[in-house]
Amino acid sequence: PRRMTPRQIIIDTDPGQDDAVAMLLALASPESLEVLGVTAVAGNVPLALTEVNARTMCELAGRTDVPVFAGCPRPMMRPLHTAEYVHGPTGLDGADLPEPTMPLQPGHAVDFLVETLRAAPEASITLCTLGPLTNIGMALVMAPEIASSVREVVMMGGAFFEGGNTTPAAEFNIWVDPHAAHLVFTSGIPITVMPLDVTHKALTSAARLQALRDLGTPQGDAVAGLLDFYDRYDMEKYGTDGGPLHDPCVIAYLLDPEMFGGKRCHVAIATDDGPAIGMTLVDWWGVTGLEPNATVINEIDAAAFYALITDRVARLPMG
Ligand code: RIB
Ligand code: CA
């Protein structure tokens, strides 16, 4: 088959167990994805932890070649709200991983985003956002012209038919920084959204966890441990066999888009300071007449999704 050139991506993330698995999936797929850098943001846990956790995952993957930058320590307008109640105090509870030795890059993640995009050809870089959109929003304010270098933003965020997971209206990533989300959705950049409507169809069942343990590798054990811890909160909350797996949907979409389904919709973000703040108003039925600004995904082949994750984790460590 014709050899595809790897898609250039930047992963913006707030690890977080599901972010961590998404990172491993990307870092284990160099034939498809060239990870130009990882930019950490405050979200699930404070920035001081998310930047360490991002480096921990690069090391677990054997990918210390990938530069990791620390970005914004809080949302653009609202105070930071974290989610230790889900992710544990470290943000990577469930796996006992060593402190990273690879260095954090000097310089701010937003400067890395701006400089990298300014130097990039038109529509060449895909931004994979796994947390609050603060870094991206700030970069767009600092240098609006960078939008033309972004091929696509593929994000985990938002919810519509599924309802919110942080308030009845809002999903965590958008709720933490709705103003940044508004800047992204009004930027004109092509966007593909993985909302709770699709991530809640990808549950980490006991059998899927066992398949990871059966790899018998430190990486397989780490992923099983992370997910076993992570899905406890959601299993309790939703009463399901396994919790939803959010962030890896972003990377799986790039590796195998056929696994997903959805449609073009207009999406607006509620930023007014009321009970619906952070809601993604998905015009699924086209009632606003507004031009669609995103592809909203609501279908997934969950078996293929977990098979892909297990297959790629089995490759680790790289190199
Ligand atoms: O609502 C789920 C999202 O919030 C995921 O990205 C999870 O990691 C948290 O950041
Ligand atoms: Ca995340």
Side-chain angles (χ1 to χ4, degrees):
R2 188 167 55 83
R3 181 166 171 68
M4 304 278 289
T5 51
R7 185 163 176 157
Q8 292 193 318
I9 70 170
I10 294 171
I11 300 174
D12 190 75
T13 180
D14 63 333
Q17 287 87 351
D18 60 323
D19 303 68
V21 178
M23 284 186 65
L24 294 181
L25 184 56
L27 296 170
S29 308
E31 79 292 339
S32 304
L33 303 173
E34 180 187 358
V35 184
L36 299 179
V38 174
T39 50
V41 68
N44 287 319
V45 290
L47 179 69
L49 284 173
T50 59
E51 65 91 350
V52 170
N53 294 344
R55 288 187 283 142
T56 298
M57 297 321 290
C58 285
E59 289 198 349
L60 183 67
R63 292 297 311 274
T64 55
D65 58 300
V66 175
V68 177
F69 297 83
C72 296
R74 52 146 298 172
M76 297 182 82
M77 297 287 290
R78 283 162 58 80
L80 175 62
H81 293 280
T82 52
E84 286 86 349
Y85 59 94
V86 177
H87 294 268
T90 72
L92 287 185
D93 289 48
D96 185 15
L97 296 170
E99 283 292 303
T101 56
M102 71 182 279
L104 179 69
Q105 293 300 311
H108 197 291
V110 177
D111 289 326
F112 168 74
L113 285 163
V114 169
E115 287 152 23
T116 304
L117 288 166
R118 273 195 174 132
E122 177 101 3
S124 60
I125 295 178
T126 299
L127 302 181
C128 299
T129 69
L130 312 180
L133 290 160
T134 313
N135 289 339
I136 315 304
M138 292 295 288
L140 287 170
V141 170
M142 273 178 74
E145 72 279 6
I146 62 173
S148 63
S149 303
V150 180
R151 171 174 170 181
E152 183 178 16
V153 170
V154 186
M155 74 168 69
M156 191 279 139
F160 189 61
F161 295 104
E162 187 68 24
N165 63 0
T166 306
T167 71
E171 176 279 326
F172 181 78
N173 288 340
I174 309 297
W175 178 81
V176 167
D177 198 338
H179 303 93
H182 171 76
L183 289 170
V184 174
F185 279 92
T186 54
S187 67
I189 295 170
I191 298 171
T192 298
V193 188
M194 297 285 163
L196 299 181
D197 304 79
V198 66
T199 68
H200 281 219
K201 294 177 180 174
L203 301 185
T204 307
S205 66
R208 288 166 175 165
L209 275 182
Q210 193 53 48
L212 287 156
R213 288 196 189 93
D214 290 350
L215 292 177
T217 65
Q219 289 75 10
D221 292 345
V223 171
L226 290 168
L227 294 184
D228 192 17
F229 176 91
Y230 181 54
D231 68 9
R232 260 171 240 164
Y233 178 84
D234 281 336
M235 283 171 73
E236 186 66 36
K237 177 177 173 181
Y238 299 114
T240 47
D241 168 27
L245 186 50
H246 308 288
D247 294 337
C249 289
V250 168
I251 305 301
Y253 174 76
L254 295 179
L255 295 174
D256 184 1
E258 300 306 304
M259 211 184 281
F260 296 92
K263 75 176 185 179
R264 300 281 300 155
C265 303
H266 184 271
V267 177
I269 307 296
T271 55
D272 42 317
D273 202 359
I277 190 165
M279 182 174 185
T280 44
L281 290 108
V282 176
D283 185 8
W284 190 260
W285 307 116
V287 296
T288 65
L290 294 173
E291 191 60 30
N293 57 350
T295 300
V296 178
I297 302 292
N298 70 334
E299 296 295 342
I300 184 172
D301 176 343
F305 176 60
Y306 281 91
L308 175 65
I309 290 171
T310 306
D311 172 73
R312 295 296 155 96
V313 170
R315 293 181 174 182
L316 298 175
M318 302 304 285

